[in-house]
Amino acid sequence: MSLSRIGQIALPVSDANRAEAFYGDTLGLKKLFRFGELVFFDCAGVRLMLEGTPKTVTPGAGVCHYFAVENIEAVAAGLKSKGVPFEDEPHLIAKMPDHDLWMTFFRDPDGHLLALMEEKRH
C-alpha cells in the first residue's frame, strides 16, 4: 500500500464568510457546500476546506498552496483587477528539460501564502 493523491486540505480562517467570498467570488473556486463554519471548495478533485475559527489564525511558516493555471500572466492580471495584492510579478523559477516553471505569490485575507504556477511547455 502507498499513498498518492491528496483528498482534502484544511485551512483555518478567522472569518468563514470573508474567506468564502475570497476563495469563491474573487479566486473563482467552485464551492461544493458549506456546513456551519466549514466551507468546502473543489480544486480539480482536491477538496479545500476552510475552517472558520474564533481562535487567532496564524499563517503557517513555509506553507503555500499552489494553484496550477494556464497563462499565468492573464490569471494574475485578472485577480489583480479584483483587488488581490500580489507579492511579485509572474516570474521564471526553473528551466526544465521539457518546460519552464513560472510562479507568482499572493496572500488570502488571513495572510495564508498562495501561489499561481504554470508549467510552460517548450
Side-chain angles (χ1 to χ4, degrees), residues 11-31:
L11 196 61
V13 296
S14 61
D15 182 327
N17 293 327
R18 180 180 69 180
E20 181 177 4
F22 179 78
Y23 283 86
D25 299 337
T26 304
L27 299 186
L29 296 181
K30 178 184 173 194
K31 186 171 107 178

Side-chain angles (χ1 to χ4, degrees), residues 22 24-28 76-85:
F22 179 78
D25 299 337
T26 304
L27 299 186
L79 292 176
K80 285 179 188 177
S81 74
K82 293 181 176 184
V84 176

Side-chain angles (χ1 to χ4, degrees), residues 1 5 27-28 35 42-43 58 64-65 97 102 107 116-117:
M1 178 182 130
R5 189 175 75 84
L27 299 186
F35 181 75
D42 176 49
C43 298
T58 305
C64 183
H65 295 89
W102 284 69
R107 294 189 183 268
L116 302 178
M117 63 178 281

Side-chain angles (χ1 to χ4, degrees), residues 2 5 14-15 17 38-39 41 51 56 66 68 70 74 78 80 82 97 104 107-111 115 119:
S2 65
R5 189 175 75 84
S14 61
D15 182 327
N17 293 327
L38 302 176
V39 187
F41 290 93
E51 181 179 9
T56 300
Y66 297 81
E70 292 183 20
K80 285 179 188 177
K82 293 181 176 184
T104 185
R107 294 189 183 268
D108 77 0
D110 282 301
E119 295 178 347

